[in-house]
Amino acid sequence: ITATARVPEVKWDSKSLLIDGKRVIPVMGEVHYSRIPADEWRNEVKKIKDGGITIIAAYVFWNHLEEQEGIFDWSGQRNLRRFLEICKDENMPVVVRIGPFCHGEVRNGGIPDWVFTKGCKLRDENKTFLGYIETLYRQIFTQVQGLQWKDGGPVVAAQFDNEYDGKGS
């Protein structure tokens, strides 16, 4: 029989977050895991934690994962699931920032070059673009499945898109 990990109760009021009734003021720090060699992740997570960060925000750069249309590469330093497992081992909560646009000083805000050849408006609700985004999000979900906060994992939230002004690209 496997024991289910106890998930801390999270609430909030006008002053702060409350985790298991204790007031918490989270300090978030950015980690671009796909820009760091995978064998350095654990040490980097420990350093950021030792520096006072209490939640990691991690961009999932689409152009790092699907350089060629329809071919997702979750290997090596692209392995989001492995990064999240390390965060879980180190008791470090994570907000995954899943785009499609991430900025993060990455080419095209993380949107793969091939998307620009499709003749659709980007960051828009047209069927073509939303079809690509649905595929991306389904892929990301396969990586975070079972690692969400509700399951005892480190993923406390997801941020969709970034720096969106409502006008599209």
Side-chain angles (χ1 to χ4, degrees):
I1 300 174
T2 57
T4 304
R6 189 181 93 59
V7 177
E9 179 184 58
V10 178
K11 294 183 178 182
W12 57 90
D13 62 18
S14 63
K15 298 176 185 174
S16 70
L17 284 175
L18 294 148
I19 299 179
D20 285 339
K22 181 179 174 185
R23 292 206 176 278
V24 174
I25 299 176
V27 178
M28 189 176 299
E30 193 75 37
V31 175
H32 298 173
Y33 75 94
S34 62
R35 290 176 161 162
I36 302 168
D39 61 351
E40 296 177 19
W41 288 344
R42 186 172 306 276
N43 191 42
E44 293 301 312
V45 170
K46 287 179 179 181
K47 286 192 295 188
I48 199 168
K49 189 174 183 180
D50 289 346
I53 300 300
T54 60
I55 298 177
I56 288 175
Y59 280 128
V60 181
F61 294 120
W62 184 11
N63 63 351
H64 289 187
L65 303 171
E66 192 183 11
E67 293 179 57
Q68 296 177 34
E69 184 179 355
I71 302 172
F72 282 85
D73 182 359
W74 295 102
S75 67
Q77 68 194 59
R78 295 174 172 100
N79 190 335
L80 174 61
R81 184 168 193 85
R82 181 69 191 124
F83 177 73
L84 295 173
E85 288 168 343
I86 288 169
C87 291
K88 179 180 178 178
D89 292 347
E90 298 299 328
N91 296 311
M92 181 57 81
V94 178
V95 173
V96 288
R97 301 176 79 184
I98 62 175
F101 182 85
C102 289
H103 200 290
E105 291 70 47
V106 71
R107 181 180 168 84
N108 300 328
I111 296 175
D113 291 341
W114 62 263
V115 176
F116 292 88
T117 69
K118 298 303 177 178
C120 63
K121 186 173 181 183
L122 305 181
R123 300 177 82 185
D124 184 74
E125 294 182 18
N126 66 75
K127 285 184 179 184
T128 302
F129 188 66
L130 288 180
Y132 296 127
I133 301 315
E134 180 179 355
T135 300
L136 171 66
Y137 287 172
R138 287 183 185 279
Q139 281 283 319
I140 292 169
F141 182 71
T142 66
Q143 300 298 303
V144 302
Q145 194 169 20
L147 292 172
Q148 294 167 296
W149 188 259
K150 70 179 181 70
D151 302 317
V155 178
V156 295
Q159 178 192 16
F160 298 85
D161 221 335
N162 184 248
E163 300 181 21
Y164 185 66
D165 63 6
K167 297 176 186 172
S169 296

